[in-house]
Amino acid sequence: SRRRHTRCSGVSWARRCVQETGTWGITSKEKFQIMEGVQGVLDRVREQLKLRGAYSIAGLARSFRCMDSYNVDKKVDRGEFETGLAEYGVNLSKAELTQLFDYMDTDKNQRINFDEFLIALRGGLNETRREVVLRAFKKFDKDGSGRITLDDIRGVYSAKEHPDVVNGKRTEDDVFREFLANFGDAQKDGAITQDEFLDYYGNVSASVDSDEYFTEIITRAWQL
C-alpha cells in the first residue's frame, strides 16, 4: 500500500503532531486549542526572524546544523533549541519555548528534529519549488510509473567512473542503491517514490530562502 505522506506544514503539520504526541484521549476542541496555541508561537517566531532579514531561516538552519555536528542526526535537545533561537533574535517566554519544544518532541526523548521545525516555519514546497523538483523527478522516471528505480538511474547516469567501482570495492548497482538510500528510499525496496523525492527536497527547501536560488540548485544538480 502507498506510504502515508507525513511531512506537512502549517495547520496540517500541527494536526499531525497532535496525533503523534499522545493526545488521543482529549476532545476535538482541546486538540484545536493545542494546535491554535502552537501556531501562535510559530507566528511569533516567524515575525521575529523576519526582523533579521531575508536569510534568517537559512541562518537558523546553519546554527542548528552546527549544534548537530557530533551526532549528525538532525536533532537538537531542549537547550540547543533555545540557544539556536536566541542567537537569531527569537525571544520567547519559558512557557512558549516549553510548549513548542514539547509539542514537537513526538517520541518524548527530549530531542526534536530541526528539519521538521524549519518546515513548520517556512511551510512545504511552494508551487515554484514543487514544479522544479517534479521536473527533476520526471527526468529519471522514464516510464511514468511514479517511482525511480535502478533501471531508471542506469538510463540517465553511469557509475563506471565511481572510485569504488574502479577499485572493485563495489558494483555500479551498489552505488545506485546508495544513491536511492540518500534520497529517502525509506521502504528499502530499491526505488524512490514521488512523495519520498518531494520529502527529501522539502527538507532542503527549508534551509533555502530564495525561490530563485532553490531553482538554481535543482537545475544545476540535475542538469535540467
Side-chain angles (χ1 to χ4, degrees):
S1 61
R2 186 175 178 178
R3 186 170 64 90
R4 184 169 64 93
H5 182 69
T6 57
R7 284 194 178 93
C8 304
S9 61
V11 174
S12 58
W13 173 87
R15 184 178 298 115
R16 176 175 60 78
C17 285
V18 168
Q19 293 172 346
E20 293 180 356
T21 52
T23 56
W24 290 107
I26 65 177
T27 66
S28 296
K29 181 179 179 180
E30 288 170 328
K31 288 181 182 179
F32 179 78
Q33 289 172 339
I34 291 172
M35 289 162 53
E36 204 172 39
V38 172
Q39 284 302 312
V41 177
L42 285 172
D43 286 343
R44 279 180 43 75
V45 174
R46 291 188 195 100
E47 289 168 4
Q48 293 183 51
L49 284 174
K50 283 180 182 178
L51 297 176
R52 293 186 62 91
Y55 297 97
S56 56
I57 293 181
L60 181 60
R62 286 193 296 272
S63 177
F64 283 145
R65 281 197 294 272
C66 286
M67 293 176 181
D68 182 48
S69 60
Y70 181 74
N71 291 323
V72 197
D73 60 358
K74 296 187 176 183
K75 292 186 177 182
V76 291
D77 62 27
R78 190 181 299 270
E80 291 168 335
F81 182 66
E82 293 183 14
T83 299
L85 289 174
E87 285 180 352
Y88 275 82
V90 177
N91 297 306
L92 299 176
S93 69
K94 281 291 183 183
E96 289 172 325
L97 285 165
T98 297
Q99 181 183 26
L100 189 54
F101 187 91
D102 288 351
Y103 195 72
M104 296 187 64
D105 181 17
T106 55
D107 54 8
K108 302 306 176 188
N109 67 352
Q110 296 302 305
R111 304 183 76 227
I112 63 172
N113 184 306
F114 58 76
D115 269 350
E116 291 272 351
F117 173 65
L118 293 170
I119 290 170
L121 275 179
R122 183 186 297 286
L125 291 169
N126 63 28
E127 194 60 35
T128 297
R129 300 186 185 206
R130 182 181 174 86
E131 188 273 334
V132 73
V133 170
L134 288 177
R135 277 171 53 204
F137 183 85
K138 289 173 183 176
K139 178 176 180 178
F140 282 94
D141 184 21
K142 296 295 186 181
D143 60 2
S145 66
R147 289 157 53 90
I148 297 174
T149 65
L150 291 178
D151 287 338
D152 289 326
I153 297 173
R154 288 191 199 98
V156 178
Y157 287 113
S158 169
K160 290 179 180 178
E161 302 303 318
H162 190 286
D164 285 352
V165 175
V166 172
N167 294 330
K169 293 181 180 179
R170 292 193 291 174
T171 66
E172 285 189 78
D173 279 1
D174 289 336
V175 173
F176 291 146
R177 287 190 186 94
E178 180 183 54
F179 173 91
L180 292 172
N182 288 338
F183 276 83
D185 179 17
Q187 300 181 61
K188 308 300 181 186
D189 57 358
I192 304 173
T193 66
Q194 181 173 291
D195 279 352
E196 287 170 338
F197 200 74
L198 288 168
D199 277 352
Y200 176 86
Y201 277 111
N203 286 336
V204 174
S205 174
S207 299
V208 181
D209 284 276
S210 163
D211 284 352
E212 182 179 348
Y213 183 48
F214 180 83
T215 299
E216 182 181 343
I217 290 172
I218 306 303
T219 301
R220 287 186 176 181
W222 302 114
Q223 301 175 4
L224 300 178

